[in-house]
Amino acid sequence: YKRLGLSGERLRLREHESSELAHYSIGTADIEYAFPFLAAGDYGELEGIAHRGDFDLRSHMEGKLDEKTQPLQLQLDADGKPRWKGSGKDLTYRDELSGERFTPHVIEPSAGADRAALAFLCEAYDEDQAPDENGQMQSRVVMRFHPRLAPIKAAIFPLVKKDGMPEVARELYLGLKRRMNVFYDEKGAVGRRYRRQDEIGTPYCLTIDSQTLQDRTVTLRDRDSLEQVRIALDEVGAEIQRRIDE
């Protein structure tokens, strides 16, 4: 979760008290996140991780049953064979060094995709100040998604809709589209186009301008640092992928 952008300060691993444990659990811990809509100090569960011991494989060997039923009892079908797949089979393993036979334990992680998506959305939302096309500082809403989670990895803009810039921008867009989800936009001032991409969390914007037509370089703008650098047109795909991987 931290590698994909959640703040370690808002995450915790909470061990269950003995009174919370299911009868089959040796130990359980929850990964929890401090959602901003919860009261101060409260956390919501992202993922539960249960150490189920040898309960699962032992259940298969001795017979399928309701987990609340003890002791385990083998259930047979009308032909006298184990009713459930795996029942009655020896599912133990032999230790290669000691030769001792053992029943493997099961660790069961259970994560909620909707909860994780909500946590990443809450973490990404931000408001700050950024310069507009005239260099004036303006408020902006920005979704600071980790590049691997951002729905759109890069947006491609021709600075103006003439002088061959849209043709080069389209060529770049179609080339990148084979490798990642990208967006083409030629409507409005480039500053407004930056804002639109910031609001949906696009990490990188690529602008085709008059210099591109001279030396085949483009401006790459970073959503978070606002840094703008020139890179070769032929190296754009590799550079975007490198930044996503990092």
Side-chain angles (χ1 to χ4, degrees), residues 181-231:
N181 196 23
V182 293
F183 186 80
Y184 179 87
D185 189 2
E186 60 181 24
K187 297 179 181 179
V190 71
R192 294 193 182 96
R193 285 180 264 175
Y194 283 153
R195 291 294 183 277
R196 290 198 288 266
Q197 297 304 313
D198 293 341
E199 288 181 354
I200 63 174
T202 304
Y204 309 111
C205 291
L206 302 155
T207 302
I208 310 300
D209 55 22
S210 58
Q211 186 175 337
T212 306
L213 306 179
Q214 298 172 13
D215 60 12
R216 291 189 64 79
T217 64
V218 301
T219 298
L220 185 151
R221 179 226 193 220
D222 184 277
R223 176 198 66 206
D224 297 328
S225 69
L226 301 178
E227 179 188 25
Q228 297 190 31
V229 296
R230 301 291 301 194
I231 61 174

Side-chain angles (χ1 to χ4, degrees), residues 5-25:
L6 292 191
S7 168
E9 297 177 355
R10 302 181 69 87
L11 284 168
R12 73 177 184 183
L13 188 67
R14 185 185 69 84
E15 295 281 348
H16 281 206
E17 301 290 341
S18 57
S19 60
E20 298 178 81
L21 296 177
H23 72 271
Y24 55 76
S25 175

Side-chain angles (χ1 to χ4, degrees), residues 63-238:
K64 181 72 175 181
L65 78 165
D66 186 320
E67 291 184 345
K68 297 179 182 179
T69 303
Q70 295 292 337
L72 298 171
Q73 294 181 349
L74 181 64
Q75 296 184 13
L76 304 179
D77 61 19
D79 298 325
K81 297 180 180 179
R83 181 177 178 184
W84 307 102
K85 184 177 181 181
S87 298
K89 293 183 179 180
D90 182 5
L91 299 177
T92 60
Y93 289 73
R94 186 180 299 279
D95 185 277
E96 295 180 358
L97 296 179
S98 68
E100 179 184 1
R101 298 199 70 83
F102 66 93
T103 303
H105 286 198
V106 170
I107 305 297
E108 179 193 22
S110 179
D114 54 347
R115 298 176 186 180
L118 179 58
F120 285 119
L121 285 166
C122 291
E123 187 77 31
Y125 182 87
D126 193 18
E127 298 179 17
D128 68 0
Q129 298 282 317
D132 61 16
E133 57 268 22
N134 298 315
Q136 300 296 316
M137 298 301 291
Q138 299 288 336
S139 297
R140 71 165 179 165
V141 172
V142 55
M143 297 297 289
R144 300 188 189 278
F145 289 123
H146 188 289
R148 274 181 281 173
L149 294 183
I152 298 174
K153 308 305 181 188
I156 297 93
F157 310 147
L159 185 61
V160 294
K161 294 189 288 184
K162 60 181 181 179
D163 300 332
M165 296 181 201
E167 288 77 7
V168 176
R170 282 283 180 184
E171 179 184 354
L172 177 60
Y173 165 73
L174 293 174
L176 291 176
K177 189 177 180 181
R178 301 188 185 100
R179 304 169 59 178
M180 61 189 72
N181 196 23
V182 293
F183 186 80
Y184 179 87
D185 189 2
E186 60 181 24
K187 297 179 181 179
V190 71
R192 294 193 182 96
R193 285 180 264 175
Y194 283 153
R195 291 294 183 277
R196 290 198 288 266
Q197 297 304 313
D198 293 341
E199 288 181 354
I200 63 174
T202 304
Y204 309 111
C205 291
L206 302 155
T207 302
I208 310 300
D209 55 22
S210 58
Q211 186 175 337
T212 306
L213 306 179
Q214 298 172 13
D215 60 12
R216 291 189 64 79
T217 64
V218 301
T219 298
L220 185 151
R221 179 226 193 220
D222 184 277
R223 176 198 66 206
D224 297 328
S225 69
L226 301 178
E227 179 188 25
Q228 297 190 31
V229 296
R230 301 291 301 194
I231 61 174
L233 193 61
D234 295 338
E235 297 175 2
V236 168

Side-chain angles (χ1 to χ4, degrees), residues 21-40:
L21 296 177
H23 72 271
Y24 55 76
S25 175
I26 293 176
T28 296
D30 289 340
I31 299 173
E32 298 180 330
Y33 178 73
F35 288 97
F37 49 78
L38 298 177

